[in-house]
Amino acid sequence: MFPTFTGSARRPRNVNMSGQKSFNPFTGSSWSPGAPALGATKTVAQAQAERAQRQQERERLKAARRIQRTWRGHRVRRELRAFRRQALDRLYSDAALVDLGSRTAEATPLLLSVYQAADVQDQRRLCLLASDLLASKFACFTSGAVELPRLSRLAQIVVSSLGRYETSKQDPGVAIDQIQTLLDTLVQIVKLRPQLVHVVLGRLYKVLAGYCHTLGPSSPLLDRIRHAVTAPLSALNAPYDFTRSAYDEFALSFLTRADLFLFESNIGAFAADIDVDQLSSSIAAGSNVRFIAAASPSRLMWLLAHFIALQKAKKQVALHAKSLKALYTLLSTLSTPIRAAFSAPNLKASDETETLEEPSQPALAPYISDQLSSLTNRDEISGLLGQFISEHGGTSASDLEYAGFLAGYILTLVNCFPTLSDDIRMRLYLADIPTAAGPLPAVKFFWNAFSRTSIFSSILKDADAALPVLRQKPPSETDSAWHREWRTILLFLELYIFVLRLTDDEDFFSGLAMTILNTSSTSRLRSCSLGANNLAQLATFLKHLGFTLYYHAADLLGSSPEGPQAGQSSPSSSGQTSSRPFSGSAPAPLAFSVTAGVDFEAFRNLVSTAMKMLYERDSRRQFLPHGHWLMTSKLDMDGFLSAVVLEEQNQREQEEAEGRDSDDEDSDDDTAATGMRMAMTASGLRLSRQAQTERILMNRKRARKHLLRAAAVPRLEILRNMPFVIPFDMRVKIFRQFVYLDKHRRRGGNIDPDRWRLWVLNQHGGPFDPSPTAHNVLSRHQAKIQRGQIFEDAMEAFWALDDKLKEPIQITFVDEFGIPEAGIDGGGVTKEFLISVTSEAFCPEERLFVSNKKNSYYPNPCDLDQRKNTLREAGIPEGSEDWNEAIAYRLRQYEFLGRVIGKCLYEGILIDIAFAGFFLLKWASAGAPDAYRANINDLRELDEELYQGMLRLKNYPGDVGDLALDFTITDQVSLPGDPVKTVTRNLVPDGENLTVTNENRPLYISYVARHRLVVQPYAQTRAFLRGLGLIIDPAWLSMFNQNELQRLVGGDSSEIDVEDLRRHTVYSGVYAIGDDGEEHPTVKLFWEVMRGLDDRQRRDVLKYVTSTPRAPLLGFGQLSPPFSIRDGGRDEDRLPSASTCVNLLKLPQYKSKEVLREKLLYAVTSGAGFDLS
């Protein structure tokens, strides 16, 4: 109610002018009248505080009662325990009580109720009772005086007491009597009722592992520890579930412990009572596989080492199927750290020395390292194959299933031990598998198993079947038929690649028609060769599978890039595109793999390597039908060029956008590399595993990014990795289009050199008032070159340009006095300059390149060694500044020559230089430096005498050991003509101590080829390819094989097409075609003469005018500058002359066809040159 009623419902304003805080007098507390109340809020707060205070009091009272109750209980229990301990002590102090059965019946319940592990006296009492139980043979339990369930409690107490002895700082040797008693008691409990110790098995094996770690090899507790370890494993009356659990705990709680010195030193005694097959089943069991996947690598590594030692201690001839499966499980899980520890030797990336780098010492315990190394022992591999041979005939389904396990195991060995992979393959290569038709080489046995798989049949028949087959991968079963078939396929590919490396063309092609088995009169390599039909099937299978792995990578990896970033969506086998958008967010894990330890990239590389090696054989000497490799029906060839170009542009834009990220990755990579180096030092050993893990994760991240980026450009991936499925002419057009677009991008759309120079001026102040920047840019692309020292002047002028050598250059030739030659460089002088640079660089005096008997060039393998020897003889200290500068300058010469060759390719200028096929193969693999694999066939191009010597060694009928060869090689380091000086180098680490035998001679031949073709010329080749790759993208070069690259560099070697040359010839002067469209009579005579010449004479004329005897790949329309004819006067006594810089023929006005032919051939064959009359 309002205080007054005025007829208005509005509340009047209440203005407090006193300055005092208003309060409600009715809210004041009755017990504090003097304090003004602050309203209802304060009243509520006070009530809550009072309530909380009362609750706190109640809780204090309850806590006090709990404390009192707990203390009373503790006091009562302590008193009761003390009372029972006194009773227990009286039992053992009363000499009158000698009946062990009665005493143990009374003492056992007392001890079980009072035992505390921390009480030393309780441990003494336990030992007294244990002694009585052993003496009475557990009569109190067997008679029923004590309930059997109490035996389980006794077992727990014994294990706990043993654990106290093991973890205490007291030496176990001091308490040896007590420990012996407890161990004997535990063993008797297991024998009496093994299932009663089921709950304590894990703790038991952890305690026993501690004893094995602490005790020395000759401890008096050895027998007791051994019996305790093996008792649960070999209990006779134990149920199956208990035995399985015992082996599970033995594997996961005992064998995973590091440094079990007692166990490792006496493993033969332990192994006598251990069933290795049962242990193998436990390790490979599904429940333990999940544990293995989650366990730390260090524990698993010790489990693997101890399992290998037990396997060997059983002295089995070879691994059984169960053991093989267990080893495969562990090795595949640990493949990454094992591979990191047993790293393969690499070529040192040093400009000064190129030798085999000794493998780093494994960052593993010596025991682990020794046990792992034993897996690759020759006897071990041979025994494994022998076991397979003796138990399996190789024909039934079970045999093929076992072959799948064997294949998976050997694949994992190859992956884990890269330094020993060739030796593992060699064991397989030398193995014979008995069949009903006679002994069969292992490679053919696995070919038979491979060709009988459903996967092979499906993919061979239909190119579209590969994708569905790969998608049929079971989600989790690693032992499915799908996995076993893929393991068999992969092992065959590994083995066949190895055989191809060892096989020369003679053996390969001799074996095409062979159907006989291996006999004494047939060489091993020939007996391993496949027939023509089998090779055609294999090539078709690899072609279909490889196409799917590259073209449908996005589908297989679970990410289908599409949209503006990818340019093209991932095509399906039907030609349609996927509608799944490409997401820039974190992609799904790239977990696709056909078997453990072989990821998607490794799988694809294996297929690609086998396919490319067959293609190289076929391209060198055709054995497959013409057009066998083409797959144009799988691609839309009408739009292929534009689609590939678009993909390339989009990928380039994406890479440029990610440039900053790649810089960050490089810095991270350097940090990781530093961590790895630190890991190999003593102080950094603890960090080694972390550094390796970081490096592995970084590599996986980079590989995933690369795979996803590649999946976005399927056509480009096909072009780079399987170019032979696309017709050659189409690839040349794509290459030219790539070059054109690169010029367009770099030159601001101004392809013509003069227009580009004007564009540069316009970018920096204009042509009338150019800035110093414009002068600097243009001056760097200009040079005065003195004839006679063209290569040196060119390198001095243009070395600093790097990739800017792609832009137009302007050359002025000067004589020895520095006077410029008359003329303007409109492109012809540049052509003459580039051709002159190559001619001078490839001359024998420079010694940069050497040629074989076919006049094909390759980098001088001895060049750096000879230069270093010269520096030593000059007294220059090795490693000094002068030394390093001399070597670096020589390598810069190789790199600059690579840039010049790249510039010729970039500008479409043909050069009359033939390169060796093996050297061109390195061009094709420049994008992947490790892709080139040296083989004996390439050795033939390098050194015919060495090749023939290797063939004689390969076919040597006697004992090769009598030749006293080892795995070393001698390199000449002296200059030609000087007294011979050589140096001996190892082909493999410790090669001087490894004798060449009949068995390993194929490896020796392979290593000799690798040294001569890869190791010795490594720095020179790498420098040249670095320069070449600076101008021409290595991915563009990977589109061609060695023969195609030679045609790209020097032109087409097919017959000269006179009509095509005539259609693309330009006439000037008197010979210019008038309005009537008729050619000059002399010109007509010239073409009549050209048609009448044979192909060799036509090539002579073409070389006379253009400096190269071959036509451009796409015809004379691609010749730049175009072929031109100008009149050379009316004097018919003059000879024709030429200006090769502009492809110009100066032809006098001959009236007679016979005179023209005579003068033309005379000029061509006599070497007449510029303006010679």
Side-chain angles (χ1 to χ4, degrees):
M1 296 294 292
F2 295 111
T4 59
F5 180 74
T6 60
S8 174
R10 295 181 61 186
R11 183 186 299 275
R13 293 183 63 190
N14 185 10
V15 181
N16 181 9
M17 303 182 64
S18 66
Q20 298 180 357
K21 295 182 179 180
S22 60
F23 64 93
N24 186 351
F26 299 102
T27 61
S29 300
S30 59
W31 57 84
S32 55
L38 298 180
T41 303
K42 182 176 180 180
T43 301
V44 173
Q46 288 177 343
Q48 292 175 343
E50 292 171 357
R51 188 180 302 112
Q53 185 176 7
R54 291 193 298 272
Q55 180 64 26
Q56 188 175 6
E57 285 293 330
R58 287 193 292 270
E59 290 179 353
R60 275 199 296 267
L61 291 174
K62 289 181 181 179
R65 284 194 291 269
R66 282 197 300 271
I67 293 173
Q68 293 173 0
R69 185 168 60 251
T70 301
W71 166 248
R72 284 195 299 270
H74 172 72
R75 184 183 60 187
V76 170
R77 286 192 299 273
R78 185 177 62 182
E79 292 173 353
L80 179 60
R81 188 175 290 111
F83 173 76
R84 291 181 177 180
R85 282 171 176 158
Q86 292 175 1
L88 184 60
D89 291 339
R90 283 196 298 270
L91 286 175
Y92 285 96
S93 62
D94 189 357
L97 188 59
V98 295
D99 185 5
L100 295 180
S102 301
R103 187 163 65 181
T104 55
E106 293 183 34
T108 298
L110 292 176
L111 180 70
L112 297 181
S113 63
V114 303
Y115 178 81
Q116 289 180 316
D119 192 322
V120 177
Q121 294 301 318
D122 280 353
Q123 293 192 28
R124 179 186 60 81
R125 297 182 183 101
L126 175 63
C127 291
L128 292 174
L129 174 61
S131 299
D132 281 355
L133 290 172
L134 291 172
S136 65
K137 299 182 180 180
F138 287 79
C140 62
F141 288 99
T142 57
S143 64
V146 180
E147 299 84 353
L148 277 177
R150 293 195 176 189
L151 193 60
S152 176
R153 170 61 180 162
L154 178 62
Q156 296 178 34
I157 289 176
V158 171
V159 172
S160 176
S161 181
L162 286 171
R164 293 293 298 182
Y165 280 116
E166 187 268 324
T167 56
S168 65
K169 295 183 179 180
Q170 181 182 6
D171 185 359
V174 176
I176 188 170
D177 293 335
Q178 294 89 332
I179 295 174
Q180 287 178 345
T181 300
L182 294 177
L183 288 173
D184 291 342
T185 303
L186 188 62
V187 170
Q188 291 303 318
I189 294 175
V190 173
K191 291 181 178 179
L192 184 63
R193 286 292 188 275
Q195 58 269 30
L196 294 180
V197 299
H198 190 282
V199 295
V200 78
L201 280 174
R203 173 63 178 160
L204 168 63
Y205 278 113
K206 289 179 180 178
V207 169
L208 294 176
Y211 278 105
C212 288
H213 174 76
T214 306
L215 298 175
S218 57
S219 172
L221 291 174
L222 170 61
D223 289 337
R224 261 88 174 187
I225 295 290
R226 178 175 62 83
H227 288 308
V229 168
T230 59
L233 306 178
S234 57
L236 297 178
N237 56 344
Y240 174 75
D241 290 342
F242 172 81
T243 303
R244 183 180 61 184
S245 298
Y247 274 98
D248 289 348
E249 294 298 340
F250 173 66
L252 306 180
S253 299
F254 183 84
L255 295 181
T256 54
R257 177 68 183 267
D259 296 324
L260 301 176
F261 300 112
L262 184 66
F263 174 79
E264 294 163 5
S265 303
N266 304 275
I267 197 165
F270 281 87
D273 296 322
I274 296 175
D275 186 347
V276 175
D277 283 347
Q278 181 67 44
L279 178 61
S280 303
S281 300
S282 293
I283 294 175
S287 58
N288 292 339
V289 167
R290 289 190 293 272
F291 166 82
I292 289 173
S296 65
S298 59
R299 294 184 62 193
L300 293 182
M301 203 74 78
W302 281 104
L303 171 61
L304 175 59
H306 291 142
F307 178 73
I308 295 170
L310 281 172
Q311 180 70 43
K312 292 191 299 182
K314 296 294 285 187
K315 296 182 179 180
Q316 296 179 353
V317 176
L319 298 172
H320 295 302
K322 292 182 180 179
S323 302
L324 197 65
K325 185 177 179 181
L327 274 178
Y328 173 66
T329 301
L330 291 172
L331 284 172
S332 59
T333 304
L334 296 169
S335 59
T336 299
I338 293 176
R339 186 178 180 87
F342 293 87
S343 57
N346 296 312
L347 290 174
K348 290 184 177 180
S350 169
D351 289 340
E352 297 187 11
T353 180
E354 288 71 41
T355 58
L356 279 176
E357 181 179 339
E358 297 291 334
S360 57
Q361 291 297 324
L364 298 174
Y367 184 82
I368 296 178
S369 178
D370 292 342
Q371 297 301 326
L372 292 178
S373 299
S374 70
L375 291 178
T376 60
N377 183 275
R378 295 184 178 184
D379 295 336
E380 183 75 18
I381 301 295
S382 300
L384 178 62
L385 294 173
Q387 180 76 10
F388 175 76
I389 292 169
S390 63
E391 295 183 359
H392 303 270
T395 56
S396 66
S398 62
D399 297 334
L400 296 179
E401 178 179 349
Y402 184 79
F405 283 117
L406 177 64
Y409 174 69
I410 294 177
L411 277 173
T412 307
L413 284 184
V414 170
N415 183 55
C416 290
F417 304 97
T419 56
L420 303 171
S421 59
D422 277 346
D423 196 52
I424 297 170
R425 297 184 185 103
M426 178 60 71
R427 295 296 100 201
L428 281 176
Y429 160 72
L430 294 174
D432 285 327
I433 310 295
T435 64
L440 196 66
V443 64
K444 285 197 171 182
F445 169 80
F446 281 105
W447 161 252
N448 291 339
F450 164 47
S451 60
R452 291 169 57 188
T453 61
S454 60
I455 292 175
F456 175 78
S457 301
S458 300
I459 297 177
L460 177 64
K461 295 176 182 177
D462 184 7
D464 294 332
L467 185 60
V469 166
L470 290 168
R471 283 175 168 172
Q472 291 172 1
K473 176 185 177 182
S476 59
E477 292 185 40
T478 58
D479 296 334
S480 65
W482 190 91
H483 287 94
R484 289 194 297 270
E485 287 190 359
W486 275 117
R487 287 196 291 263
T488 302
I489 291 171
L490 293 180
L491 179 60
F492 168 75
L493 293 180
E494 277 278 3
L495 185 54
Y496 192 63
I497 289 171
F498 178 73
V499 171
L500 286 178
R501 282 173 47 199
L502 303 179
T503 307
D504 62 284
D505 284 345
E506 179 185 354
D507 284 335
F508 181 83
F509 288 100
S510 297
L512 288 181
M514 287 177 55
T515 58
I516 60 175
L517 296 174
N518 187 21
T519 64
S520 58
S521 60
T522 305
S523 71
R524 182 72 188 178
L525 287 171
R526 293 190 182 186
S527 67
C528 291
S529 298
L530 300 181
N533 292 334
N534 292 340
L535 282 175
Q537 291 180 333
L538 177 59
T540 302
F541 171 82
L542 294 174
K543 180 180 66 172
H544 291 169
L545 178 58
F547 184 89
T548 300
L549 292 176
Y550 284 107
Y551 200 63
H552 298 284
D555 295 329
L556 294 173
L557 295 175
S559 173
S560 181
E562 185 181 58
Q565 290 184 347
Q568 298 290 330
S569 54
S570 179
S572 65
S573 59
S574 61
Q576 298 178 349
T577 57
S578 173
S579 59
R580 290 175 294 172
F582 175 73
S583 173
S585 59
L590 306 181
F592 183 87
S593 63
V594 293
T595 186
V598 182
D599 59 15
F600 179 79
E601 188 68 10
F603 170 45
R604 190 167 66 174
N605 287 341
L606 189 62
V607 173
S608 176
T609 299
M611 177 173 52
K612 289 178 179 177
M613 292 183 78
L614 283 179
Y615 173 72
E616 287 173 11
R617 297 267 183 174
D618 189 52
S619 62
R620 186 165 56 238
R621 181 177 167 185
Q622 187 172 351
F623 60 89
L624 293 172
H626 180 73
H628 176 87
W629 295 100
L630 295 179
M631 295 188 69
T632 52
S633 61
K634 297 288 294 177
L635 300 165
D636 178 16
M637 298 309 299
D638 294 335
F640 188 77
L641 190 151
S642 58
V644 166
V645 169
L646 183 58
E647 288 182 356
E648 202 272 343
Q649 285 182 302
N650 290 330
Q651 188 180 65
R652 184 179 295 276
E653 291 174 0
Q654 185 178 1
E655 289 175 352
E656 290 176 354
E658 295 177 355
R660 183 174 302 176
D661 293 339
S662 75
D663 293 340
D664 294 340
E665 287 182 4
D666 291 342
S667 63
D668 293 341
D669 193 30
D670 294 339
T671 303
T674 302
M676 288 294 290
R677 287 192 296 270
M678 178 182 178
M680 304 316 297
T681 63
S683 61
L685 192 58
R686 294 183 179 179
L687 300 177
S688 61
R689 197 175 307 281
Q690 180 181 358
Q692 292 175 10
T693 303
E694 292 177 356
R695 183 64 174 268
I696 292 167
L697 293 176
M698 186 185 308
N699 291 337
R700 287 179 179 174
K701 179 180 178 182
R702 186 179 293 113
R704 181 166 71 174
K705 182 181 293 186
H706 170 74
L707 280 175
L708 289 178
R709 185 183 297 139
V713 287
R715 297 168 185 84
L716 200 58
E717 282 293 287
I718 289 294
L719 199 60
R720 291 172 176 174
N721 297 281
M722 298 179 61
F724 38 81
V725 304
I726 310 297
F728 174 63
D729 291 345
M730 174 61 73
R731 284 180 275 139
V732 175
K733 292 177 182 179
I734 292 172
F735 174 79
R736 293 300 180 199
Q737 189 66 16
F738 282 169
V739 172
Y740 174 82
L741 292 175
D742 191 59
K743 288 181 180 179
H744 192 276
R745 179 179 59 86
R746 296 179 62 91
R747 302 179 185 180
N750 301 278
I751 306 299
D752 181 76
D754 291 333
R755 288 183 176 272
W756 174 76
R757 295 183 184 99
L758 181 60
W759 175 73
V760 171
L761 293 173
N762 289 331
Q763 293 291 107
H764 302 88
F768 301 106
D769 187 22
S771 65
T773 303
H775 284 298
N776 181 46
V777 172
L778 295 180
S779 63
R780 293 175 63 194
H781 290 79
Q782 298 173 354
K784 291 183 178 181
I785 305 298
Q786 180 179 334
R787 294 190 185 275
Q789 54 183 39
I790 296 178
F791 184 67
E792 289 80 2
D793 288 354
M795 183 172 173
E796 181 179 356
F798 296 128
W799 170 258
L801 286 181
D802 288 335
D803 65 333
K804 293 182 178 60
L805 188 61
K806 292 182 178 183
E807 272 64 82
I809 57 177
Q810 200 163 20
I811 303 299
T812 301
F813 283 106
V814 298
D815 60 18
E816 57 182 335
F817 303 105
I819 301 175
E821 295 181 0
I824 299 175
D825 188 358
V829 179
T830 298
K831 175 192 171 185
E832 182 184 358
F833 161 73
L834 293 174
I835 293 175
S836 299
V837 170
T838 56
S839 299
E840 188 174 304
F842 283 93
C843 68
E845 291 75 16
E846 287 290 336
R847 294 197 304 275
L848 288 167
F849 276 67
V850 293
S851 61
N852 57 21
K853 293 182 179 180
K854 295 181 179 180
N855 205 33
S856 298
Y857 287 88
Y858 55 90
N860 183 1
C862 304
D863 186 42
L864 281 191
D865 285 332
Q866 292 171 350
R867 190 157 293 267
K868 292 174 183 177
N869 184 62
T870 302
L871 293 174
R872 291 190 190 96
E873 292 178 350
I876 298 178
E878 186 170 352
S880 64
E881 184 176 352
D882 292 338
W883 173 287
N884 293 336
E885 177 56 29
I887 299 300
Y889 179 77
R890 190 59 168 179
L891 292 175
R892 285 198 296 270
Q893 288 182 306
Y894 279 101
E895 181 174 348
F896 182 73
L897 185 54
R899 296 183 194 177
V900 172
I901 299 297
K903 177 70 171 176
C904 292
L905 282 169
Y906 196 76
E907 301 295 346
I909 297 173
L910 302 179
I911 56 176
D912 188 20
I913 295 175
F915 293 100
F918 71 86
F919 181 52
L920 289 170
L921 279 174
K922 298 178 183 181
W923 293 23
S925 60
D930 296 332
Y932 173 73
R933 293 173 179 259
N935 60 77
I936 189 173
N937 302 290
D938 293 339
L939 193 62
R940 187 173 196 171
E941 279 191 286
L942 178 75
D943 189 336
E944 179 70 25
E945 292 182 2
L946 180 60
Y947 170 76
Q948 294 298 334
M950 292 297 101
L951 288 186
R952 287 193 294 271
L953 175 63
K954 184 192 70 173
N955 299 319
Y956 185 69
D959 185 2
V960 175
D962 296 339
L963 302 179
L965 296 174
D966 54 29
F967 278 74
T968 60
I969 196 167
T970 302
D971 293 334
Q972 182 174 339
V973 298
S974 57
L975 293 172
D978 292 351
V980 176
K981 187 176 182 180
T982 60
V983 61
T984 300
R985 294 186 170 116
N986 283 336
L987 293 173
V988 294
D990 198 30
E992 69 273 11
N993 297 320
L994 183 59
T995 304
V996 179
T997 63
N998 286 7
E999 289 187 351
N1000 64 21
R1001 61 179 163 182
L1003 278 182
Y1004 172 76
I1005 295 172
S1006 176
Y1007 290 153
V1008 168
R1010 183 184 66 175
H1011 179 83
R1012 287 286 183 242
L1013 294 166
V1014 179
V1015 178
Q1016 193 178 11
Y1018 177 73
Q1020 302 93 299
T1021 303
R1022 189 184 62 165
F1024 178 89
L1025 293 180
R1026 184 167 56 242
L1028 179 64
L1030 202 62
I1031 308 300
I1032 302 294
D1033 191 333
W1036 301 350
L1037 296 174
S1038 66
M1039 297 189 298
F1040 306 99
N1041 64 24
Q1042 68 272 33
N1043 298 326
E1044 294 166 345
L1045 281 173
Q1046 183 58 60
R1047 295 169 65 187
L1048 201 65
V1049 172
D1052 201 338
S1053 58
S1054 59
E1055 185 176 350
I1056 300 298
D1057 187 348
V1058 176
E1059 295 304 320
D1060 181 53
L1061 177 61
R1062 186 174 187 176
R1063 282 193 301 270
H1064 296 96
T1065 298
V1066 176
Y1067 306 99
S1068 59
V1070 175
Y1071 294 153
I1073 298 178
D1075 296 336
D1076 58 357
E1078 290 292 326
E1079 294 176 340
H1080 191 278
T1082 304
V1083 172
K1084 292 180 179 180
L1085 291 177
F1086 172 78
W1087 293 118
E1088 290 179 13
V1089 170
M1090 285 293 291
R1091 279 193 293 269
L1093 299 178
D1094 58 34
D1095 189 62
R1096 180 185 59 80
Q1097 292 171 327
R1098 292 175 188 174
R1099 291 185 182 280
D1100 290 340
V1101 173
L1102 187 61
K1103 182 174 182 179
Y1104 179 69
V1105 180
T1106 66
S1107 75
T1108 178
R1110 291 175 291 274
L1113 293 179
L1114 300 180
F1116 286 100
Q1118 300 294 318
L1119 187 63
S1120 177
F1123 190 90
S1124 305
I1125 300 178
R1126 195 184 76 186
D1127 68 288
R1130 296 179 180 273
D1131 187 0
E1132 294 192 46
D1133 292 332
R1134 290 173 59 92
L1135 293 175
S1137 60
S1139 295
T1140 57
C1141 60
V1142 290
N1143 298 333
L1144 174 63
L1145 174 64
K1146 299 176 183 178
L1147 185 66
Q1149 299 178 28
Y1150 299 113
K1151 305 297 184 183
S1152 167
K1153 177 180 176 181
E1154 290 73 16
V1155 173
L1156 191 152
R1157 175 187 172 90
E1158 178 186 355
K1159 297 292 186 182
L1160 180 63
L1161 292 179
Y1162 182 79
V1164 168
T1165 57
S1166 64
F1170 184 79
D1171 278 343
L1172 179 64
S1173 299

